[in-house]
């Protein structure tokens, strides 16, 4: 057996415990797969680990909704499939797109039976919204807090399964591999929020649902916990990681000077009719794409980026009735008001912000990675659904579909055997943790990736960024000799790996696709399929 990397403190045998299945991540993917597995395998033990308190995850902040064909009069599976393929700019896996789109209504009905309350119209039909890249209204939503509502429903549902043990405020640090060729995962090292020593959890199956890595950028819609932990852990044990260069920037984060995570203004607001304008009130998106404000996110983000070189850009909702704004977007309306902007009266300043990683840990249609016994679902996984750019509101859908498929595969194929765990190294004494130094490295990672792998890139910038990351890796290695391994240290270590993967894979991309736009490359010509 071996640990995947140089963990500075090894788990002790007297701290050892085990479970049949360990799920890492408390967002929609992690919660949903835990529920499915508890129902399919009631005799098996399950541990769900999450970095923060219950409910805190990228999923919680998903405002728009879930894309699903719920009205076959105005919509069809074929239209949703085509919209996904077009937005992914030729790099989606068509078979994966097909299975996800066709499974969507079933998964939506399922979470409704689990207690999720979506919005309905006056006739009792599910209300469907419109977002960029979609050719039909198909976004199932709960006002502008869909992720929050869905996560809370899943948390309530999970309480019905006593065999699922939850460990909140616990960081997964690394995984242990075993087997004849040291190639199957069987154990995870964890650190509690207040803990100073690692603990080990042995498992027959590990499922990564750790979300994204937005904290590799200085301006991101992601919460502080989004540090790419699952991707980095999987990389360290040799799992295949792909398409990390495809970073989706959400076009409309509220542009304010207040430090912290910028507030996201949902794409659904533009779907409801809002414009993107200059200070003079001039719309500009049609100069970039015939779909205007409802073009896919990569197009809109680049257009705003280009315009912001010379002027500020605003979201204009003034022509939309105040009643529609307050009823459909109550949280967005209140939050903007708190920052001094009335959606119904003011131009609201916006800016693109790092939002979603379209790549990640490569999986098959059942969530299996290239490492035996290891699965990945949700944003940390590269399933083939998104290609070079994610279609709006396909992310929660992906998490629900692959949570179900993963659970079915684990229940049908997993071998619940255990591996021995005997060797350990004592915890070594270290100096007082130098958190300031670690935070400094984190900020320099963000600055580096922002400059070298932002919305628009160059070969020279990417190469320079890689050189900077190598220097920061050396600095972290030096810090290991003085810094007691702690929560911040492990996150920074993971962010360095994520940064290197983004930059390295960006340099390997030979043409522009979707969210990857390098001025030194030829732009791929999109081939749009027209559905009649």
């Amino acid at each position: 057996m071996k640990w995947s990397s140089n963990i500075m403190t090894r788990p002790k045998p007297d701290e050892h415990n085990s479970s049949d299945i360990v799920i890492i991540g408390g967002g929609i993917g992690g919660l949903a797969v835990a529920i499915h597995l508890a129902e399919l395998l009631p005799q098996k033990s399950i541990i769900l680990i999450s970095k923060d308190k219950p409910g805190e995850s990228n999923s919680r902040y998903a405002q728009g909704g879930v894309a699903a064909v719920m009205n076959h009069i105005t919509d069809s599976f074929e239209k949703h499939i085509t919209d996904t393929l077009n937005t992914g700019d030729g790099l989606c896996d068509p078979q994966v797109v097909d299975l996800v789109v066709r499974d969507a209504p079933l998964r939506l009905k399922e979470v409704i039976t689990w207690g999720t309350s979506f919005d309905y119209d006056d006739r009792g039909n599910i209300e469907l919204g419109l977002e960029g890249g979609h050719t039909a209204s198909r976004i199932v939503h709960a006002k502008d807090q869909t992720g929050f509502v869905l996560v809370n429903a899943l948390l309530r549902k999970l309480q019905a399964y006593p065999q699922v043990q939850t460990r909140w405020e616990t960081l997964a640090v690394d995984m242990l591999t075993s087997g004849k060729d040291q190639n199957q995962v069987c154990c995870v090292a964890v650190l509690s929020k207040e803990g100073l020593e690692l603990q080990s959890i042995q498992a027959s199956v590990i499922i990564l649902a750790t979300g994204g890595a937005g904290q590799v950028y200085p301006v991101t819609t992601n919460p502080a916990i989004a540090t790419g932990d699952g991707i980095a852990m999987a990389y360290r044990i040799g799992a295949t990681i792909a398409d990390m260069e495809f970073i989706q920037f959400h076009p409309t984060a509220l542009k304010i000077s207040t430090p912290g995570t910028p507030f996201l203004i949902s794409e659904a607001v533009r779907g409801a009719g809002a414009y993107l304008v200059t200070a003079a009130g001039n719309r500009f998106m049609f100069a970039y794409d015939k779909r205007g404000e409802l073009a896919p996110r990569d197009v809109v983000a680049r257009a705003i980026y280009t315009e912001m070189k010379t002027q500020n850009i605003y979201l204009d909702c003034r022509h939309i009735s105040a009643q529609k704004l307050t009823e459909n977007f109550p949280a967005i309306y209140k939050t903007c008001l708190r920052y001094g902007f009335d959606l119904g009266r003011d131009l609201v300043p916006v800016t693109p912000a790092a939002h979603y990683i379209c790549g990640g840990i490569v999986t098959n249609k059942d969530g299996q990675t290239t490492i035996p016994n290891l699965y990945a679902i949700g944003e940390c996984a590269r399933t083939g659904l998104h290609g070079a750019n994610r279609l709006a509101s396909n992310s929660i859908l992906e998490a629900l579909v692959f949570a179900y498929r993963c659970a079915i595969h684990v229940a049908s194929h997993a071998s619940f055997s255990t591996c021995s765990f005997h060797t350990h190294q004592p915890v070594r004494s270290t100096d007082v943790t130098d958190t300031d130094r670690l935070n400094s490295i984190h900020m320099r990672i963000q600055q580096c990736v922002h400059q070298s792998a932002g919305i628009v890139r160059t070969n020279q910038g990417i190469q320079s960024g890689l050189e900077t990351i190598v220097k920061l890796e050396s600095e972290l290695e030096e810090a290991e000799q003085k810094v007691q391994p702690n929560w911040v240290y492990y996150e920074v270590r993971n962010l360095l790996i994520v940064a290197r993967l983004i930059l390295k894979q960006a340099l390997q991309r030979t043409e522009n696709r979707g969210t990857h736009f390098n001025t030194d490359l030829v732009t791929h010509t999109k081939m749009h399929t027209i559905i009649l």
Side-chain angles (χ1 to χ4, degrees), residues 183-206:
N183 69 340
Q184 69 180 33
V185 71
C186 70
C187 190
V188 60
V190 300
L191 182 70
S192 66
K193 193 73 171 180
E194 304 301 327
L196 297 177
E197 297 177 355
L198 296 177
Q199 295 180 330
S200 66
I201 304 174
Q202 188 172 300
S204 297
V205 172
I206 296 177

Side-chain angles (χ1 to χ4, degrees), residues 18-30:
S18 65
S19 178
D20 292 308
I21 302 165
V22 170
I23 301 165
I24 305 173
I28 288 171

Side-chain angles (χ1 to χ4, degrees), residues 63 143-145 254 256 263-265 269 322 324-344 346 348:
Q63 297 171 342
K143 300 300 181 187
D144 55 355
Q145 292 186 294
L254 183 62
I256 51 177
F263 179 70
L264 175 67
I265 300 178
V269 178
K324 184 175 182 178
L325 290 171
T326 54
E327 287 184 357
N328 293 350
F329 311 107
I332 293 173
Y333 189 91
K334 291 177 182 177
T335 302
C336 288
L337 204 59
R338 191 165 68 244
Y339 285 107
F341 302 102
D342 186 330
L343 277 181
D346 301 323
V348 180

Side-chain angles (χ1 to χ4, degrees), residues 313-460:
I313 295 302
Y314 301 85
L315 192 68
D316 187 359
C317 307
R318 296 174 298 178
H319 54 287
I320 303 174
S321 72
Q323 180 181 357
K324 184 175 182 178
L325 290 171
T326 54
E327 287 184 357
N328 293 350
F329 311 107
I332 293 173
Y333 189 91
K334 291 177 182 177
T335 302
C336 288
L337 204 59
R338 191 165 68 244
Y339 285 107
F341 302 102
D342 186 330
L343 277 181
R345 297 183 178 184
D346 301 323
L347 292 179
V348 180
V350 292
T351 185
H355 185 59
Y356 192 91
I357 291 184
C358 298
I361 308 162
V362 174
T363 72
N364 66 8
K365 298 173 188 177
D366 297 310
Q368 288 180 290
T369 72
T370 53
I371 302 295
N373 302 345
L374 180 65
Y375 294 75
I377 59 176
E379 189 176 350
C380 70
R382 184 272 193 189
T383 64
L385 175 64
H386 306 307
N389 182 38
R390 175 175 67 91
L391 180 64
S393 289
N394 265 0
S395 52
I396 293 180
L397 172 60
E398 179 188 42
L400 292 175
V401 169
F402 279 90
Y404 173 77
R405 295 184 66 86
C406 174
I408 293 293
H409 192 273
V410 169
S412 304
H413 295 85
S415 174
F416 292 97
S417 58
T418 58
C419 62
S420 301
F421 185 78
H422 299 297
T423 61
H424 74 281
Q425 293 181 4
V427 178
R428 72 175 174 84
S429 175
T430 61
D431 298 333
V432 176
T433 300
D434 187 355
T435 302
D436 289 343
R437 186 175 185 181
L438 294 174
N439 287 334
S440 172
I441 295 175
H442 183 184
M443 286 189 291
R444 282 179 282 159
I445 294 171
Q446 292 177 323
Q447 293 166 359
C448 167
V449 178
H450 171 70
Q451 292 170 357
S452 55
I455 295 174
V456 175
R457 306 160 181 182
T458 65
N459 285 335
Q460 182 178 355

Side-chain angles (χ1 to χ4, degrees), residues 209-258:
T210 51
Q215 289 299 323
V216 78
Y217 287 88
V219 180
T220 177
T221 62
N222 292 190
I225 60 173
T227 52
D229 307 318
I231 294 172
M233 285 193 296
Y235 174 79
R236 285 193 291 268
I237 61 171
T240 301
I241 314 293
D243 294 347
M244 290 292 288
E245 70 271 29
F246 297 126
I247 307 295
Q248 184 177 84
F249 287 78
H250 198 288
T252 53
L254 183 62
K255 185 181 181 182
I256 51 177
S257 57
T258 306

